[in-house]
Structures are given as C-alpha cells and as structure tokens.
Amino acid sequence: MQSAAVATESEQENPLIEGLERLPVRPTALVIFGATGDLAHRKLLPALYNLAHEGSLPERFEMIGVARRGQEDEDFQDMVRESIVRFSRRRPDQKVLDGLLSEMRYVPGVFDDDQVYGELGRALREFDERAGQPLNRVFYLSTAPQFFPVIASKLGAAELSQCEKAETRIVIEKPFGYDLASARRLNDEVLDVFEESQVFRIDHYLGKETVQNLMALRFANALFEPVWNRNFIDHVQITAAEDIGIGGRAGYYEGAGALRDLVQNHMMQLLALLTMEPPSSFDADRVRDEKLKVLESIVPPSPGDVAAMAVRAQYGPGVVGGKKVGGYLEEDGVDPHSRTETYAALRLSVSNWRWAGVPVFLRTGKQLARKVTEIVVTLKPVPHLAFKNIGSVGVQPNQIILTVQPDEGVSVSLGAKIPGATMRIRPVNMEFRYGTSFLSESPEAYERLILDAMRGDATLFTRGDEIIALWGIIDPILQAWHADTSSPVPQYPAGSAGPAEADRLLGSDRRWRRL
Ligand code: BG6
C-alpha cells in the first residue's frame, strides 16, 4: 500500500513540534504471529494505524496476520478495523484506514505446521515480485511464549530467516523466558536460527517517550550529571503502581507474578537507564553495552539475603476508585491457595564506583491506590543549615522526580522561602510537563518500537546478554520465594499503598513516596 501522510489539525497548528522528523523506512513486509490476540488487538494494530496516519510507514508496506482462527482476508480486515476504531489514540481517517487494510492478508494455521511457512514464503515472494524489489521482512511474535522457539525454528527450516538483498528481523514479545535457565534456552534456540543483530526483544517501556527522556535528561543537560552519584544521591525509588487487577489474565498471571511481569523487564530497564554510564554514542550496541555493564554491577542476592531485600504480597478485598473489589484469591481462575505475588518491593545495590552505598528501591503492584510510574531520586540533605533556629523546619532534601505516566514530565523539588518576615522554608516544585511544553500527545510505545524494528534500530530493544543479566538478578529471588511454601504471603487492601512489610526495606529514616 501507499501510506498517506496526513497532518492532523493540531499538528498543523503546533509550532512546538516543528522539526519532528519522519524517519525513512525501507519497503517492508510485516508478519504478525498471533494477529488475532489481545496484544495485537489493543496495541499492535492501532499502532500500525497511527504510523500510517502520520505517514511513517514505508512507502511500500505489506502485512500478513497469522493465527489459528480459520478466516478469510476480509474477515481479518474487519477485525483489524474494529481494533483500530476501538483502540487507536487518533480517530481513524477513513481513507488512511481503508488504504492500510486493503492489502492486509491473513494466513490461518497452527504455528508448528510447515504449510503455514510454505504459504508465508509464497506470499512474501509475491510481494517482492509485485514491488520489483525484495522487501525487508519483520516477523513479529505476539504469541504465547511456548511458540517462540517453535516459530523461530520453523522460519529457519523454511529458509525464511535470511533473505538475499533484504534484511530479515524477528521481534519477540515478553516474557522472554520464565527464569534464568529458560531464558538461556530460549536465547540459544533463537540464536540457532537468527543472528543477534536480527533479534529484537521487546520491552514496551523502552518505547515510552518519558523513558527515553531519561537519557535526554541525563546526557543533554549539564545540570544533573555532576550530582548523579553516591556523593550527592541518598537513594532512588522506582515505582510502577497500577490501579487495576489482573483482568481476565489469571492463566498467565498465576504463573508469572509481579516480579516476572513488571520487575524483571520494565522496572529493571528503568533502573539500567537511570544508573548506566554515559554511552560514547547512541548507537544500539554502545547504549546496550552500558546497560549490561551496570546490570552486571548489581550483585544478585544469595538465598539467605532474599528475606531482607525483597517483599511480596497479594491484594485482598478493598476499594479502588470508589468501587469495591475482591481480593486476588477470589479472582476467576486463581487458585484460592495461590502464593503468586501481585506486589513486589526490592532493595538493590549497584556495586560500582558511581553508586556504591546508594540503595535503589523498587516497588510495583496491582490494585494499588493509583496508576503511577515514576522514578524519584532523593539527594542528600544540605551539609549545614545556617538558619536552623529561625524556621528551617520545612527543609527537605531535593528530589528529582521523573514521571513516566500519567502526567509525563520531570519535576525538581526545591526548598523555598515562604513569603513573610521570618525565614520559613517549604518544598516547592519546578516542573516540566510534556503536555504543556510540546502541546502534542506522545506516541504510544508500540508505534516507536514497531518503527524502530522496521528500521533496524535495536537501541530500544533488549540484547541477549542483557536479558540474561536481568534474569540473573531476579532468579535467586524467584527461587527463594518458590522454596518458601509456608510463611504467609502478606496481604494489602486493594486501593491502598501496598503492604506495611515493604516499609522495613527502607529502614527507619526513609519513606516510600506517597501514592
Ligand atoms: C505489561 C504487564 O507488560 O505491562 C501488565 O504484563 C501491565 O500486567 C502492563 O499491566 C503495564 O504497562 P503500562 O504501559 O500500562 O504501564
């Protein structure tokens, strides 16, 4: 199809996004395995529409959906239309939508059936012939994780993992592995067929604008980097709180839990970007080398240390957003004796020259008081308070708060004098908000990531060695929790800030930031 570049009204009127580039993308065929699944429905297909809407798709773009359901191209196109109308962040433009749908094809079949790959091969060759040139190929695996190795090996066997004169890439959704051993195995299975440079392991947090802004904030400003170390920073808190339960995902969540679902990937990525050394360039491997280095400086806990540095809990009944909700153990599909955690908090140390002695606290949970993802860097107190006797009660250590969502932005808390005759101080905030500074809505993470995979830019994807380092930190905690089958799993009321047990990780003189 020919993608249309249609500027929305707000884009046309918005001088602040002047200079936004449309990055060139070579002609591409995108194959989505699991194209009728929930992720495709809610995120991938709407993201494709938004790329088409702003003219970011390659001039020649073809797509094939692969899934088990038996249906014709037209049924698939109707399904895609419905996904886009329901979940696109922009109201679809009829012409752009029709253009995008018109060439979408569908291949039904189970993922271990050779026929599927034969048919895919034929369709891809046909695209190439029609275009008069070989199209780049992107295979997007949005299926249940047990199919990842199956699909990779079948693509290899059908000689679809390489293409003369065009690039072939494979995008693999999370979860990449279930623990350290299975992640290693999966890496080996995928790398048996594809080169590392062809493999794009997705972590959608890396596609969020504010997460990338973390690098801009650190490395495009002279203000922060001088204090970004153990001499000035007291501690770091990373929070990913959600005000939703597990929805209909008990089947997945029971086997996953908060540590695998959010900490091993999204939160540890935030930690890596926050603590890594400045890369020499923003080349994919230079950035990932630095992330790997810092992840390798986090010493995995020994089994005996886990109880002191990690807390797990489950939500009990409570009230969220004014609505009564049941506890985790009452959710459909959840074992009433389940020990799966819906909340996890950790205390980690980055043992290197820059960070030695600075504790990093992570917490995440379902059914908490509100949805917020933020990083809070708390500086050390000032060394001397000159106006101690005349009202410095309000003096608080400075904090740099990076809000990933909602209200994306950065704020710095400062001590300021309250107007009046006496020197009374209280914290005030200096703020930058995306919404007000750029007057534009941030693209969805998947828009950026799909585009990057099509362009072959792996900076925002997790490299094989990185995924192993991530699991290496988390694995001992999983094992210790798995081995402990008797101590009660703490409960927290739905709608609260989490379990009291998490407070002990911080020690007596620090507090979790209010949710
Ligand atoms: C997913 C998890 O990776 O991230 C979900 O599987 C979680 O359980 C989601 O709700 C959170 O993503 P976001 O972008 O809404 O913060």
Side-chain angles (χ1 to χ4, degrees), residues 174 204-205 208 242 249 261-262 266 366 371 405:
K174 73 175 267 258
H204 81 276
Y205 267 52
K208 291 182 190 269
E242 294 189 276
R249 299 198 304 157
D261 189 43
L262 254 121
H266 310 328
K366 299 275 187 203
K371 165 123 181 145
Q405 57 192 9

Side-chain angles (χ1 to χ4, degrees), residues 159-340:
E159 296 182 358
L160 290 173
S161 58
Q162 302 284 344
C163 173
E164 228 185 302
K165 298 201 191 117
E167 300 290 339
T168 302
R169 306 189 179 104
I170 184 167
V171 179
I172 304 181
E173 260 302 329
K174 73 175 267 258
F176 195 96
Y178 182 76
D179 54 15
L180 180 58
S182 59
R184 277 193 208 285
R185 220 167 26 243
L186 180 55
N187 246 351
D188 290 347
E189 287 162 334
V190 172
L191 295 174
D192 257 359
V193 182
F194 293 90
E195 306 284 330
E196 175 62 44
S197 60
Q198 295 178 280
V199 184
F200 288 65
R201 298 171 192 78
I202 282 234
D203 184 312
H204 81 276
Y205 267 52
L206 290 176
K208 291 182 190 269
E209 279 292 331
T210 28
V211 174
Q212 294 162 58
N213 188 44
L214 190 48
M215 291 192 272
L217 183 86
R218 286 192 59 197
F219 306 131
N221 295 290
L223 188 60
F224 300 107
E225 207 47 28
V227 299
W228 219 251
N229 58 57
R230 64 188 306 276
N231 299 322
F232 295 92
I233 293 180
D234 178 75
H235 73 283
V236 174
Q237 285 185 19
I238 305 180
T239 297
E242 294 189 276
D243 56 1
I244 50 166
I246 54 161
R249 299 198 304 157
Y252 154 75
Y253 202 85
E254 270 284 83
L259 202 57
R260 286 189 178 91
D261 189 43
L262 254 121
V263 180
Q264 181 272 339
N265 35 58
H266 310 328
M267 298 191 78
M268 292 300 291
Q269 287 290 352
L270 296 181
L271 169 54
L273 293 175
L274 187 88
T275 54
M276 72 182 188
E277 291 301 312
S280 57
S281 76
F282 276 90
D283 170 76
D285 275 330
R286 295 295 77 73
V287 172
R288 298 186 301 174
D289 287 346
E290 294 305 339
K291 284 202 289 166
L292 178 67
K293 234 163 66 189
V294 80
L295 290 170
E296 287 180 342
S297 333
I298 300 175
V299 184
S302 64
D305 292 341
V306 171
M309 54 73 70
V311 168
R312 62 173 156 172
Q314 287 174 337
Y315 59 84
V319 178
V320 183
K323 263 179 51 195
K324 267 191 169 175
V325 299
Y328 179 64
L329 299 179
E330 301 154 47
E331 297 276 10
D332 273 350
V334 170
D335 173 359
H337 303 291
S338 171
R339 298 178 65 76
T340 299

Side-chain angles (χ1 to χ4, degrees), residues 9 42 63 74 80 108 139 183 200 251 279 284 290 341 369 412 444:
E9 242 170 64
R42 286 170 187 273
M63 201 208 104
E74 295 71 32
V80 177
F139 297 105
F200 288 65
E290 294 305 339
E341 78 285 356
V412 177
E444 283 267 336

Side-chain angles (χ1 to χ4, degrees), residues 72 80 93 115 121 133 135 171 216 223 259 276 322 327 376 401 406 414 426 435 455-456 480 503 505:
E72 298 298 322
V80 177
D93 174 287
Q115 265 189 17
Q133 60 174 322
L135 268 56
V171 179
L223 188 60
L259 202 57
M276 72 182 188
V376 181
I401 300 158
L414 307 168
R426 79 167 170 84
R455 292 171 49 231
D503 295 347
L505 293 180

